Amino acid sequence: MRIYEKIPDDDHRLIHCAGDGFVIGGSAGSAYHFIRTLRRGGGLATGVRAVGANAPRIGGAFAAYHAVFCAFETAISRARGKDDFWGSVAAGAACMSTIHCRGGVARHAVGGCAIGAIVHGIGWVCSELHSKMMLYRDSSRR
Amino acid sequence: MADAADQSSGDRWSEGGRRAYTPFQPEGLNLPLSSLRAIYDLPTSPELLFHEERRGTRTWGENLTYFAGSGYLVGSVAGAAVGLRRAAAQAERGESAKLRANRALNQCGAVGRAYGNRLGVIGLLFAGIESGVAGYRDVDDWANTVAAGLGAGLLYRSMSGPRSAVVGCLVGGLVAGAAVVGKQALDRYCPSMSKSRELVGKSVVQMIGFPFDHLSLYSYCTRAVAQNHHAVGAASSEPGRHCLHGSMLSLCTSVPEAPASTGTVARKHDLILWMP
């Protein structure tokens, strides 16, 4: 199911995971706060200030989630000897439970399963579609 | 995907039978009827399986996530340490363990988050500016790092006024310059440390083994391959690469990786500037 996208044992994977989360969270947070400030009647400078105040916080939260998720996913896949979808689901459960360990583990475990399943299910579907698209790319008859 | 960008579309047999490896093999027998000799054109140099290894350096996207991530992680750890000290300083006698633990967790979390976010933003700015300057100059040397340090300090403090921005710029430039000098000193005075860093990391991973069952090709681990490299005569192959054994090459279609000539300056953002 996995196509050869990435090296399985790339160096510094955890750093890249945290960085991925930070960039994505920062972009989403920047866009959200900028648009929100503009809609509330602020100017460009006010929007930029709001972004500077809020976007790092959201980026950091995303980075934490993604880093913990990737750590659990790697650990689970190493332990099981396989790298598949259920590892991602279990990692999502473990991630949400760890980060929200004060608010009730069971609830967040179920929510984490759901999030892991949805996000990685979408990734799975996308990679299947990508494989199908790429299948006859290099044959002489198309 | 990078495979598409790496190869020319259309006739892939035109370059003397060299094709990049792709897992998407079309059905049927694809004979290059124009030049059947290409079938016998087996490569003699190590063939790398992943395009990340062919490249050797980081793309701008990897640079971005690397510095943002390392900034965030280092900031979080440092902030957690500072928070722990603060919690220990605020402790009073006769408190229960639960209260102390609660306070410690709160402080570590709060301070760790604050530091982590700030350092993550600084890392992001640094990486963005460094990739931009390197892409603009097309040369990979220390000036990129120093310029990135200056710019990151400037941008980070730009919100607090022009004087603060200048101070931040100077501090950033000094830190970046110190990093460049430190790296060069490390390379010169203890070269074994900087090289063995990578080797240790990769050999540990290989000892643990790959948990992926579809990658049974990887049983040809790098030590065996490295010996065969010398036998075949390929020069300058790092032992940490994923390569296919010589006898497997007739089964898989892969491209021989042209070993980088030592004379050229390695460009960080080589062929495909826009690929993250």
Side-chain angles (χ1 to χ4, degrees):
Chain A
M1 159 194 43
R2 282 275 177 110
I3 61 179
Y4 285 156
E5 305 178 326
K6 287 197 172 300
I7 300 180
D9 67 331
D10 51 350
D11 307 332
H12 323 119
R13 182 194 266 181
L14 185 67
I15 299 182
H16 281 290
C17 284
D20 275 339
F22 195 84
V23 167
I24 291 177
S27 319
S30 303
Y32 174 72
H33 280 283
F34 193 67
I35 293 178
R36 198 175 82 145
T37 321
L38 285 184
R39 282 180 58 135
R40 288 190 183 176
L44 216 58
T46 325
V48 170
R49 232 177 290 145
V51 162
N54 291 314
R57 191 165 31 101
I58 299 182
F62 257 76
Y65 276 99
H66 201 245
V68 171
F69 178 85
C70 286
F72 273 118
E73 190 176 24
T74 315
I76 288 173
S77 74
R78 282 266 160 95
R80 290 176 73 216
K82 293 190 266 204
D83 175 39
D84 59 358
F85 176 70
W86 300 114
S88 306
V89 169
C95 160
M96 295 294 280
S97 307
T98 318
I99 293 190
H100 295 280
C101 61
R102 285 174 157 190
V105 173
R107 255 189 323 137
H108 288 288
V110 170
C113 280
I115 288 182
I118 289 172
V119 169
H120 283 264
I122 293 177
W124 181 3
V125 166
C126 286
S127 71
E128 294 269 312
L129 286 176
H130 178 75
S131 300
K132 284 213 171 69
M133 266 171 25
M134 289 293 209
L135 196 56
Y136 291 101
R137 186 168 64 96
D138 299 307
S139 70
S140 47
R141 46 185 170 84
R142 227 180 247 266
Chain B
M1 291 274 123
D3 269 333
D6 269 340
Q7 309 153 22
S8 58
S9 57
D11 184 15
R12 295 191 314 156
W13 292 87
S14 53
E15 300 170 34
R18 291 178 170 203
R19 285 162 290 153
Y21 177 73
T22 159
F24 313 109
Q25 299 297 336
E27 292 173 6
L29 193 61
N30 263 4
L31 286 180
L33 290 169
S34 55
S35 61
L36 282 173
R37 290 190 63 84
I39 296 177
Y40 300 100
D41 189 5
L42 291 178
T44 54
S45 53
E47 303 181 1
L48 301 173
L49 204 55
F50 291 103
H51 60 269
E52 283 102 343
E53 286 165 325
R54 259 183 256 152
R55 206 167 38 232
T57 51
R58 289 193 284 257
T59 57
W60 65 266
E62 285 171 8
N63 216 15
L64 204 68
T65 55
Y66 182 75
F67 281 111
S70 59
Y72 179 76
L73 289 175
V74 166
S76 296
V77 169
V82 169
L84 200 60
R85 258 189 57 190
R86 235 183 258 186
Q90 285 175 2
E92 295 166 14
R93 311 200 87 213
E95 282 179 337
S96 63
K98 206 166 160 188
L99 187 58
R100 283 177 208 247
N102 201 24
R103 189 195 297 119
L105 267 181
N106 285 344
Q107 288 283 8
C108 285
V111 180
R113 249 173 259 142
Y115 278 38
N117 294 346
R118 282 195 214 149
L119 271 193
V121 167
I122 291 178
L124 192 71
L125 293 172
F126 177 86
I129 297 178
E130 188 182 15
S131 303
V133 167
Y136 181 70
R137 290 179 68 219
D138 278 342
V139 164
D140 186 18
D141 60 355
W142 58 272
N144 297 339
T145 314
V146 173
L150 293 169
L154 184 74
L155 280 179
Y156 184 67
R157 287 283 186 197
S158 59
M159 288 293 165
S160 322
R163 275 185 64 187
S164 178
V166 168
V167 168
C169 184
L170 285 174
V171 169
L174 281 174
V175 171
V180 163
V181 167
K183 185 148 190 259
Q184 284 175 356
L186 191 75
D187 282 340
R188 187 190 301 189
Y189 292 119
C190 23
S192 55
M193 222 172 85
S194 52
K195 285 232 170 56
S196 65
R197 246 188 297 142
E198 298 177 14
L199 291 178
V200 163
K202 285 182 176 162
S203 65
V204 163
V205 164
Q206 281 139 20
M207 277 192 296
I208 294 176
F210 302 109
F212 302 97
D213 51 355
H214 67 276
L215 298 173
S216 56
L217 295 172
Y218 282 7
S219 57
Y220 291 95
C221 204
T222 57
R223 279 188 218 110
V225 178
Q227 292 159 12
N228 284 312
H229 288 342
H230 294 303
V232 166
S236 72
S237 72
E238 293 169 21
R241 300 240 166 145
H242 301 103
C243 304
L244 296 174
H245 193 272
S247 62
M248 299 270 299
L249 295 177
S250 51
L251 300 177
C252 312
T253 57
S254 309
V255 74
E257 197 239 350
S261 55
T262 50
T264 57
V265 171
R267 282 174 49 180
K268 195 180 251 192
H269 306 282
D270 197 21
L271 310 159
I272 302 138
L273 266 172
W274 51 269
M275 286 289 297

